[in-house]
Amino acid sequence: MDNKDSVKITILYDNNCLAGFKASWGFSCLIETNENTIIFDTGWDGNVLLHNLELSQVNIEKIDLIVLSHSHWDHIGGLTHILPLITNPKVVLLKSFSENMKREIRARAEILEIVNYEKIMKGVWTTGELGDKIKEQALVVEIGKDKGNILLTGCAHPDLKSIIQMARTISDGDLKAIIGGFHDSEELNMLEGIERVIPCHCTQKMDEIKITYPDSYLKCAAGQVFNFP
Ligand SMILES: [Zn+2]
Ligand SMILES: [Zn+2]
């Protein structure tokens, strides 16, 4: 990518897909900033993930970091397929993941266990563990100085309200886009004012979002690329 601040998001795994890509229940996307390449979640079927990575012409070796939003099968399954393809892989997960799961991942990668919000790379923050029953982290990615942020969600089990509130606490930059699963979040008014609203795989109120935010809604599908700004 060139020198001016920009972020490119590529949807790698979703219930919908563009022609040639494969669709499957789960979520994964690639985040490319000027300095880093992060894969956020890995879907379920590693072969589907690898197929979509190849079609998106992603150089897997260039992935600096793997972030797992939560420990559900449809977000972590592809991990076993991509870890062997990365030299010195690093995985950012939640401290609350089971000890067995952490042990298996630690045997194959360096791990960083998250509890509270923190900066994990230049211009990239995790919200920390949110939610009571199902713990989940989301990512806030800065597009560039004074250019606002992108919020990435896995399933959004803790609900959009708490995730968006935390994103706004972490960084006072404008929220320009939200991409990922919105699950059954009720408080859709939280999406007001966000320029690009991109609900993905597990979003239950898809139709309501399309009707309420026709100008900001964009369709999510594996193979889709979103460039910022
Ligand atoms: Zn989930
Ligand atoms: Zn999910």
Side-chain angles (χ1 to χ4, degrees):
M1 297 182 90
D2 57 24
N3 256 338
K4 69 179 189 350
D5 296 328
S6 58
V7 176
K8 178 182 171 186
I9 308 283
T10 306
I11 308 298
L12 294 171
Y13 205 108
D14 187 61
N15 301 20
N16 299 302
C17 67
L18 302 183
F21 289 84
K22 287 182 179 167
S24 172
W25 184 275
F27 185 68
S28 173
C29 70
L30 191 79
I31 304 159
E32 292 171 89
T33 70
N34 289 341
E35 306 184 30
N36 297 300
T37 302
I38 301 168
I39 187 164
F40 178 64
D41 284 344
T42 62
W44 172 64
D45 183 333
N47 292 316
V48 169
L49 181 66
L50 290 183
H51 173 87
N52 291 345
L53 276 162
E54 196 184 330
L55 216 57
S56 300
Q57 296 179 309
V58 176
N59 179 357
I60 298 175
E61 274 197 55
K62 271 193 63 188
I63 295 172
D64 302 292
L65 204 63
I66 300 164
V67 179
L68 300 175
S69 65
H70 64 305
S71 63
H72 281 169
W73 60 277
D74 54 331
H75 295 256
I76 63 167
L79 192 61
T80 50
H81 281 62
I82 54 168
L83 282 181
L85 305 176
I86 303 170
T87 322
N88 304 320
K90 291 192 194 77
V91 179
V92 179
L93 43 72
L94 300 176
K95 193 170 173 55
S96 58
F97 276 27
S98 77
E99 287 307 321
N100 283 338
M101 190 184 291
K102 285 193 280 190
R103 189 183 317 114
E104 289 298 327
I105 297 173
R106 201 184 284 116
R108 295 161 176 79
E110 184 185 323
I111 70 170
L112 176 62
E113 299 185 40
I114 299 295
V115 180
N116 299 310
Y117 80 80
E118 65 176 278
K119 192 174 189 170
I120 53 173
M121 280 189 146
K122 185 167 180 274
V124 182
W125 294 264
T126 164
T127 58
E129 287 187 313
L130 301 174
D132 308 320
K133 290 197 199 94
I134 301 168
K135 303 263 189 212
E136 185 172 335
Q137 63 179 334
L139 286 186
V140 178
V141 179
E142 189 182 68
I143 300 165
K145 205 168 164 16
D146 303 323
K147 287 183 176 176
N149 301 315
I150 304 163
L151 176 59
L152 294 137
T153 61
C155 270
H157 292 290
D159 79 58
L160 285 180
K161 188 176 181 183
S162 60
I163 296 172
I164 292 174
Q165 276 173 345
M166 180 53 89
R168 293 200 158 120
T169 307
I170 293 169
S171 167
D172 50 13
D174 266 5
L175 210 49
K176 297 287 184 190
I178 176 164
I179 307 173
F182 296 178
H183 205 253
D184 59 354
S185 295
E186 299 278 348
E187 312 232 16
L188 299 178
N189 59 316
M190 292 301 291
L191 300 170
E192 186 78 56
I194 301 177
E195 287 172 20
R196 288 192 246 183
V197 174
I198 307 167
C200 300
H201 95 106
C202 59
T203 305
Q204 292 178 15
K205 296 198 165 54
M206 201 63 98
D207 292 339
E208 209 176 316
I209 295 168
K210 280 186 209 172
I211 292 164
T212 316
Y213 300 102
D215 298 328
S216 45
Y217 165 81
L218 292 167
K219 189 175 160 58
C220 182
Q224 201 80 265
V225 173
F226 301 100
N227 285 298
F228 301 87

